[in-house]
């Protein structure tokens, strides 16, 4: 809770947040990670309210705060204008990475998405939001470098966001494909052990 002491100057506000985190197991689990605790503090400072019904809702609030904060700091109104498009891009690359069982986002995943002027969009919006960190800087074209989300949970959140927008029939189909793949792996391990 050291970050709380730094970020929140009001004693009452700080105590309210600590009590709120301790009373909500989902938040308490997230708050054990310093990066996520910082995000929780930012939500609390901006809204003094956190909806801990689901982890998905908490991450949605984190993304809202990041958008608002970055737009305010950089005075970039265009970022808010393209918010939906930016979130869709993050969701698509996260889902693509998840289905390929990778955490590293490389050019093949980054370029596969259907956006006009992808390089400009990627440089001016995606990278500036701060949710991806660059792993390699080998190329002049940022789409040819490798990235990962600042925390694995953001990959999971955006992937879940992508799935949540799919038709229920497609979701069921994806679930059964995934379920049978897991069962197949377990059976394969069982046979190896025998």
């Amino acid at each position: 809770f050291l970050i709380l002491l730094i970020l929140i100057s009001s004693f009452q506000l700080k105590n309210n947040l600590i009590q709120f985190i301790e009373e909500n197991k989902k938040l308490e689990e997230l708050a054990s990670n310093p990066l996520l605790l910082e995000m929780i503090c930012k939500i609390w400072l901006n809204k003094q309210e956190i909806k801990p019904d689901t982890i998905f809702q908490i991450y949605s609030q984190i993304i809202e705060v990041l958008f608002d904060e970055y737009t305010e700091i950089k005075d970039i109104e265009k970022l808010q204008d393209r918010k939906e498009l930016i979130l869709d891009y993050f969701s698509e690359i996260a889902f693509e990475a998840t289905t390929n069982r990778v955490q590293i986002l490389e050019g093949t995943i980054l370029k596969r998405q259907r956006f006009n002027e992808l390089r400009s969009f990627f440089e001016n919006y995606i990278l500036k939001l701060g949710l991806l960190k660059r792993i390699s800087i080998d190329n002049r074209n940022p789409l040819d470098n490798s990235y990962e989300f600042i925390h694995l949970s953001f990959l999971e959140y955006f992937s879940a966001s992508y799935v949540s927008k799919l038709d229920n029939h497609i979701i069921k189909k994806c679930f059964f494909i995934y379920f049978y793949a897991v069962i197949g792996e377990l059976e394969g391990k069982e046979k190896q052990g025998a």
Side-chain angles (χ1 to χ4, degrees), residues 50-63:
I50 300 174
K51 299 173 189 160
D53 296 337
T54 66
I55 291 176
F56 188 85
Q57 287 178 329
I58 295 168
Y59 273 89
S60 296
Q61 287 184 282
I62 289 171
I63 299 302

Side-chain angles (χ1 to χ4, degrees), residues 54-86:
T54 66
I55 291 176
F56 188 85
Q57 287 178 329
I58 295 168
Y59 273 89
S60 296
Q61 287 184 282
I62 289 171
I63 299 302
E64 281 293 319
V65 169
L66 286 175
F67 255 95
D68 294 345
E69 185 178 87
Y70 190 80
T71 303
E72 187 177 306
I73 290 171
K74 300 293 183 179
D75 195 29
I76 301 176
E77 290 179 25
K78 290 181 186 177
L79 192 66
Q80 286 290 354
D81 294 344
R82 296 191 173 206
K83 183 177 183 177
E84 200 73 30
L85 191 61
I86 293 166

Side-chain angles (χ1 to χ4, degrees), residues 167-185:
D167 180 7
N168 281 340
H169 176 71
I170 295 171
I171 293 172
K172 287 177 185 176
K173 186 176 179 180
C174 289
F175 172 77
F176 284 116
I177 290 170
Y178 180 76
F179 177 75
Y180 287 117
V182 169
I183 295 298
E185 284 183 32

Side-chain angles (χ1 to χ4, degrees), residues 11-163:
F11 182 75
Q12 185 63 42
L13 195 59
K14 196 181 319 185
N15 285 339
N16 289 347
L17 177 57
I18 290 171
Q19 181 181 353
F20 188 74
I21 289 173
E22 289 173 347
E23 291 172 357
N24 293 281
K25 293 297 177 195
K26 291 174 189 151
L27 272 181
E28 193 171 34
E29 183 181 316
L30 291 175
S32 66
N33 177 294
L35 174 68
L36 299 177
L37 175 60
E38 180 181 352
M39 301 292 176
I40 291 167
C41 290
K42 286 181 181 187
I43 293 171
W44 193 261
L45 282 171
N46 288 332
K47 301 183 180 197
Q48 295 186 12
E49 175 187 26
I50 300 174
K51 299 173 189 160
D53 296 337
T54 66
I55 291 176
F56 188 85
Q57 287 178 329
I58 295 168
Y59 273 89
S60 296
Q61 287 184 282
I62 289 171
I63 299 302
E64 281 293 319
V65 169
L66 286 175
F67 255 95
D68 294 345
E69 185 178 87
Y70 190 80
T71 303
E72 187 177 306
I73 290 171
K74 300 293 183 179
D75 195 29
I76 301 176
E77 290 179 25
K78 290 181 186 177
L79 192 66
Q80 286 290 354
D81 294 344
R82 296 191 173 206
K83 183 177 183 177
E84 200 73 30
L85 191 61
I86 293 166
L87 294 178
D88 285 348
Y89 182 82
F90 277 122
S91 295
E92 287 181 28
I93 62 173
F95 182 75
E96 188 73 29
T98 302
T99 56
N100 289 319
R101 296 182 178 179
V102 297
Q103 294 175 16
I104 307 297
L105 306 168
E106 296 180 338
T108 53
I109 290 175
L110 299 172
K111 292 177 183 175
R112 212 176 283 178
Q113 310 318 314
R114 301 166 299 279
F115 290 94
N116 294 331
E117 301 177 19
L118 183 57
R119 181 178 176 171
S120 173
F121 176 76
F122 190 76
E123 286 178 312
N124 293 321
Y125 300 103
I126 299 302
L127 290 180
K128 290 186 177 181
L129 197 56
L131 289 173
L132 297 179
K133 67 179 177 185
R134 191 174 295 158
I135 298 173
S136 71
I137 313 172
D138 301 334
N139 301 293
R140 292 183 120 183
N141 183 346
L143 290 164
D144 291 329
N145 293 317
S146 298
Y147 302 86
E148 64 184 354
F149 280 93
I150 56 173
H151 192 268
L152 181 60
S153 57
F154 284 100
L155 173 77
E156 295 164 348
Y157 164 78
F158 281 112
S159 188
S161 176
Y162 181 87
V163 170

